[in-house]
Amino acid sequence: NKTKSLQTVSTILLAWIICFSYFMGFLWPIINNMIFGDDIEKYRLFTRIYSLTYLVPPILWLLIGITISQLGKQTIKYAGLFIMTYAVFSLLNDILSILFNYDIHLINMPSSYIHIHSIIDFVLLFSAGCLINRRSNNGALRYFSFAIFIYSVSNFLAYIVNHIVFDFEKLTLADMSFITAITSFSVSPFCYVAYILIFRAFHKLPKYPM
């Protein structure tokens, strides 16, 4: 009975990746030039509205982490705790990003913040996947652990590529936007696969209880 709620969560998560996704986020600079051109006010308004969608994934990951922590062996509970920590950390970061889009600056982030944030995200999710994979004999949870591996590694590689790109001072903003769009185009299929695996895992989980 504890796993039934995950079907709803995974369905919402899959709907989010189809409707918004990181692919749309990275392509937005190019789409902006095609639709709005130099109309800065319309661009800022749409960006502020779109930024609210940032809150959807961490909230759903938090629900996933809470539910996973209630299942099975102690190691699985630790994996759920890692996922919950990742979700809370991401949620706080996304709230700060949204406030920044609304010109509200609560704290000044150091330049190294993006590096710390990306590394912590990778470590937390990858560790959760390892814990689930090592201690689970449940086929549905193995789907889930594999999805976490794909999601964490692909996003971390995207961060590394984009970080290298932004270190080149000679690149223009248009060049950077184009390269990040290409990076997203390459990484997004892996993110899609990860979310679909999560959807499949959580719909199978009630049939294969811990």
Side-chain angles (χ1 to χ4, degrees):
N1 291 333
K2 291 180 180 179
T3 62
K4 289 182 179 179
S5 61
L6 287 176
Q7 293 188 5
T8 302
V9 172
S10 63
T11 302
I12 298 173
L13 197 61
L14 185 63
W16 180 87
I17 192 67
I18 293 173
C19 295
F20 298 102
S21 80
Y22 295 106
F23 184 67
M24 174 64 179
F26 280 115
L27 277 182
W28 175 241
I30 295 177
I31 295 174
N32 166 63
N33 291 331
M34 295 173 59
I35 298 177
F36 298 120
D38 296 327
D39 195 335
I40 302 299
E41 291 302 318
K42 287 184 179 179
Y43 168 72
R44 293 188 64 185
L45 176 62
F46 186 89
T47 300
R48 287 176 175 179
I49 296 173
Y50 180 79
S51 66
L52 297 176
T53 65
Y54 298 167
L55 298 177
V56 176
I59 291 175
L60 295 176
W61 277 106
L62 182 60
L63 294 175
I64 290 171
I66 291 172
T67 309
I68 290 294
S69 66
Q70 298 173 350
L71 301 177
K73 304 172 184 177
Q74 193 66 30
T75 306
I76 304 292
K77 298 180 187 297
Y78 290 144
L81 182 61
F82 282 153
I83 295 172
M84 291 165 58
T85 305
Y86 159 77
V88 171
F89 187 63
S90 296
L91 183 61
L92 293 176
N93 178 73
D94 292 336
I95 290 174
L96 290 176
S97 298
I98 292 172
L99 292 177
F100 180 81
N101 285 327
Y102 282 85
D103 297 323
I104 301 174
H105 308 278
L106 295 181
I107 56 178
N108 293 322
M109 293 295 185
S111 58
S112 59
Y113 172 75
I114 184 63
H115 311 313
I116 297 172
H117 172 68
S118 298
I119 293 172
I120 290 177
D121 282 355
F122 171 73
V123 170
L124 287 173
L125 278 185
F126 193 82
S127 299
C130 290
L131 289 175
I132 293 174
N133 189 61
R134 284 184 59 189
R135 296 298 182 183
S136 176
N137 295 320
N138 185 302
L141 284 181
R142 287 190 179 277
Y143 272 115
F144 182 54
S145 65
F146 188 52
I148 292 180
F149 289 144
I150 295 175
Y151 184 81
S152 59
V153 171
S154 60
N155 277 280
F156 191 63
L157 290 177
Y159 152 73
I160 292 175
V161 171
N162 289 332
H163 171 61
I164 293 174
V165 167
F166 287 121
D167 278 347
F168 285 99
E169 298 179 356
K170 295 182 179 180
L171 291 177
T172 65
L173 182 60
D175 292 334
M176 291 181 182
S177 298
F178 179 75
I179 294 174
T180 53
I182 294 299
T183 303
S184 176
F185 185 80
S186 302
V187 170
S188 290
F190 295 98
C191 294
Y192 290 151
V193 169
Y195 277 113
I196 291 171
L197 284 174
I198 292 172
F199 176 82
R200 181 174 174 80
F202 288 165
H203 277 252
K204 290 172 71 69
L205 199 53
K207 300 176 183 178
Y208 303 96
M210 295 297 297

